[in-house]
Amino acid sequence: VELLVRLLSSLCHWVPLQSCQCLAWKPRPIVAWGAEDQHVAAGYSDGTIRVFSISKTEMELKMHPHAVALTAIAYSTDGEMILSGGKDGLVAVSSPRTGMTIRVLADHKGSPITVLQCTRKQYRDFGVEGGELWLATSSDRRVSVWASDWLKDKCELLDWLSFPAPAGPEGLGSLPPSLAAFCPWEPGTLLYVGFGMQKEALFYSLRKKKVVEKISLPYFATSLSLSPAARFMAVGFGERLLRLLCCPASDAQDYAGHDDAVHLCRFAPSGRRLLTASHSAVLLWELTGG
C-alpha cells in the first residue's frame, strides 16, 4: 500500500497537466528484488513515457515515442526494452537505458492498441530466432504475435489473427475491448476475448494455427487475467460481474460487489490474490483451495 501511495504521488507531482493512460512494472531481476530495483513505466496522453524510481519517488527518464496518447505499455521480459502502443495503432520499442526508440511497427495502424504482453520462449520453439514472444492487440479485433531478440535487432511476425464480428448494436456507446493474453499453463497458446459473433473466450494454438477451445461467457468481457500459478481465468463484465473459471473444466463462480463495469482484473504473481477495479471501487480477492 505504501508503495502505491508513493507511486501515485510521484505521477501526480511530476506530470500535473497530463493524464496517465497505462502503467507497467519492470520485471524482477534475477537478484533479490529490493526497493532500489523497483521501477514503473507510465504512458501519458501527450505521447510520452516516463520511468519512475519507486525508492527515490522521482522520475528518472522521459521519452517521447508517440505523437498521440498511449493506450498500452509493457516491459520486455528482461526489462531492457519498453513496448508502447498508441491511440493511432502504432507500436514503439524504446530503450530505457538510452532513451531512444529503436523500432516503430505500423501493422495495427488506424486502431488503438488495447494490449501489449511479452513472454519468454525457448529458441526455435516456432522455427524462428528470438528469446521472447510478444503480442499486440488492437480494438479492431486483430492480434499480432512476434518473436524478437532486441539485442540482435530482430523482430519477426509469427502469426496474425483477425476475429470476425457482426455490425455494432444500436444504442451501444462503445464496443467491448479486444483483449488477448498468453496462456501460462499451455505454452504456445493465447486466449482472446472481445466483441464477436458469440459471447465466448477463445483459446488459439500458435502451433496448430487454429482455435482449439471455446468457453461460453454470459456477456462480452471488459477485462481479463490469467493466473500464472494455476489454471484459473478471471473475466470482468460491464454488468458489474466478476467470473472466475477453472480451465479447461468449465467450473465457474460468479461474484458481485462492483458498482460499475469491471474494467480491470489482475492476478498477483503468486496466483493467490486477484485485484479488480471498477469506476470507484478497487477490490482485493483472496483465492483459497486448489
Side-chain angles (χ1 to χ4, degrees), residues 10-33:
S10 296
L11 296 178
C12 296
H13 173 73
W14 283 98
V15 199
L17 300 179
Q18 297 298 329
S19 172
C20 181
Q21 307 289 306
C22 44
L23 292 170
W25 286 89
K26 185 176 181 180
R28 292 189 181 197
I30 296 176
V31 297
W33 198 41

Side-chain angles (χ1 to χ4, degrees), residues 2-11 13-14 25-26 34-40 51-61 96:
E2 180 184 355
L3 283 177
L4 288 175
V5 172
R6 293 165 68 185
L7 171 60
L8 292 172
S9 298
S10 296
L11 296 178
H13 173 73
W14 283 98
W25 286 89
K26 185 176 181 180
E36 68 276 6
D37 298 316
Q38 297 181 36
H39 290 81
V40 65
V51 178
F52 294 87
S53 166
I54 301 303
S55 60
K56 300 176 183 176
T57 62
E58 66 181 29
M59 184 178 70
E60 292 189 341
L61 176 68

Side-chain angles (χ1 to χ4, degrees), residues 97-145:
R97 289 184 179 274
T98 66
M100 301 294 292
T101 297
I102 64 171
R103 187 183 291 262
V104 176
L105 300 159
D107 300 74
H108 289 269
K109 186 176 181 179
S111 185
I113 301 298
T114 53
V115 177
L116 290 169
Q117 186 190 8
C118 302
T119 186
R120 294 188 184 278
K121 68 176 287 290
Q122 296 298 316
Y123 181 71
R124 297 189 185 281
D125 269 1
F126 298 94
V128 293
E129 291 190 21
E132 178 175 84
L133 287 184
W134 63 275
L135 64 78
T137 308
S138 51
S139 59
D140 57 359
R141 302 174 303 281
R142 294 184 297 168
V143 182
S144 60
V145 183

Side-chain angles (χ1 to χ4, degrees), residues 273-276 282-286:
R273 290 184 175 181
L274 175 68
L275 186 74
T276 61
V282 177
L283 303 182
L284 182 64
W285 308 80
E286 186 102 26

